Amino acid sequence: MQPVAITRQISDTLTECELTHLPRVPIDLTLARVQHAAYERALADSGYRVERLPSDVEMPDAVFVEDTAIVFAEVAVITRPGAASRRAEVAAVAEALGRYRDLRRIEAPATIDGGDVLVTGRRVFVGLSSRTNREAVRQLRRLLDPFDYTVCEVAMENCLHLKSAVTAVAGGVLLVNPLWIDEAAFNGFDLVRVDPSEPSAANALKLRDRVICPSAFPLTARRLRARGWRVDLVDASELAKAEGAVTCCSVLID
Ligand code: CIR
């Protein structure tokens, strides 16, 4: 099967998005859409069939589709996002994902954003953030019980999501910002650190044949290229003002 990337249109109300760490600044919606289209082209270039869902004005943050679902080879888990304003986003994503996977759901009182879940091989790391609680970790562990995954929680600080601080860039290799998570939680992995002048650079998107990084972080991209990987840069300046980066704008079904 050709791999699929679910993305979602940028809502006209993006400027009313949730913000946790950044002050609200003007977002150029036209430019945001141009940048988002370039991101989708990078997905398509890498072999993904891009399935773009519509959005609407009731869902300012819907473009950050990663937070609504976690896809495994066996099932997809529909989240219960930590921000109440984002809970309605899951319906359309569940409908789309249901064509490819059996669905499981996280239920109240659990809350979890997909951005807090790092899946690499059979390991599942869940960041305890302002969006994700221990009850969600418990439910996720139970849902994955039949499938031989190890689910563990990770403490984090000073960033929105676990994947703001750590992402997988190759099998067994993680890109990390050691100031936001404890590297000891990732014992046994080969860790590449972000350039210290680019603290937000740990969010990179691993595709089949390349890694996508925001063009704002050239020094970290250089560190990845030095390992021999193809790194494509995308300008994500506008969605970064809404606290989004590159993993958050797609749900990949490989
Ligand atoms: C939010 O605060 O929920 C959005 N403004 C940004 C979400 C970014 N999601 C992600 O990195 N997974």
Side-chain angles (χ1 to χ4, degrees):
M1 183 195 105
Q2 184 183 9
V4 173
I6 296 178
T7 64
R8 200 155 188 185
Q9 212 177 32
I10 293 178
S11 169
D12 287 341
T13 52
L14 173 68
T15 49
E16 293 157 34
C17 66
E18 293 285 335
L19 287 174
T20 307
H21 293 280
L22 296 182
R24 199 169 294 281
V25 296
I27 297 176
D28 180 335
L29 268 185
T30 306
L31 180 56
R33 289 186 171 124
V34 169
Q35 293 175 346
H36 188 245
Y39 170 85
E40 290 176 325
R41 273 199 303 281
L43 294 169
D45 262 15
S46 182
Y48 287 83
R49 184 169 61 73
V50 175
E51 211 176 291
R52 184 199 280 191
L53 305 179
S55 187
D56 76 57
V57 292
E58 301 299 321
M59 300 178 194
D61 281 302
V63 64
F64 303 121
V65 70
E66 165 181 62
D67 293 320
T68 60
I70 310 145
V71 177
F72 298 88
E74 303 84 353
V75 287
V77 177
I78 304 302
T79 67
R80 182 167 183 269
S85 69
R86 300 199 56 192
R87 301 226 171 107
E89 294 174 25
V90 301
V93 178
E95 194 187 323
L97 264 177
R99 291 195 282 279
Y100 305 101
R101 292 287 189 278
D102 282 344
L103 301 182
R104 303 286 186 272
R105 285 176 192 271
I106 298 291
E107 308 283 356
T111 63
I112 186 166
D113 283 6
D116 280 322
V117 184
L118 171 65
V119 182
T120 173
R122 310 306 289 182
R123 307 286 304 277
V124 182
F125 295 95
V126 185
L128 293 175
S129 71
S130 59
R131 302 287 174 86
T132 295
N133 61 21
R134 286 214 155 89
E135 171 59 16
V137 181
R138 199 188 63 76
Q139 289 187 21
L140 189 60
R141 194 173 279 134
R142 187 172 45 75
L143 293 175
L144 294 177
D145 215 32
F147 308 118
D148 189 34
Y149 288 94
T150 305
V151 179
C152 62
E153 56 189 52
V154 182
M156 44 176 283
E157 58 184 358
N158 300 324
C159 59
L160 181 59
H161 286 127
L162 179 67
K163 279 188 274 189
S164 317
V166 53
T167 53
V169 287
V173 188
L174 305 178
L175 177 62
V176 299
N177 175 345
L179 297 180
W180 291 349
I181 40 111
D182 180 4
E183 289 178 324
F186 303 99
N187 214 349
F189 286 88
D190 179 6
L191 303 182
V192 180
R193 291 183 172 175
V194 297
D195 187 275
S197 66
E198 298 175 345
S200 298
N203 188 273
L205 178 64
K206 175 188 172 306
L207 301 178
R208 292 186 151 191
D209 59 342
R210 70 193 78 181
V211 178
I212 305 287
C213 293
S215 55
F217 309 125
L219 300 177
T220 300
R222 190 187 296 167
R223 289 183 179 204
L224 297 177
R225 286 187 179 125
R227 296 287 194 109
W229 299 311
R230 171 175 173 176
V231 178
D232 284 8
L233 299 179
V234 297
D235 191 347
S237 67
E238 298 313 293
L239 290 181
K241 296 173 186 171
E243 298 191 18
V246 288
T247 63
C248 56
C249 292
S250 54
V251 170
L252 304 182
I253 308 163
D254 282 297

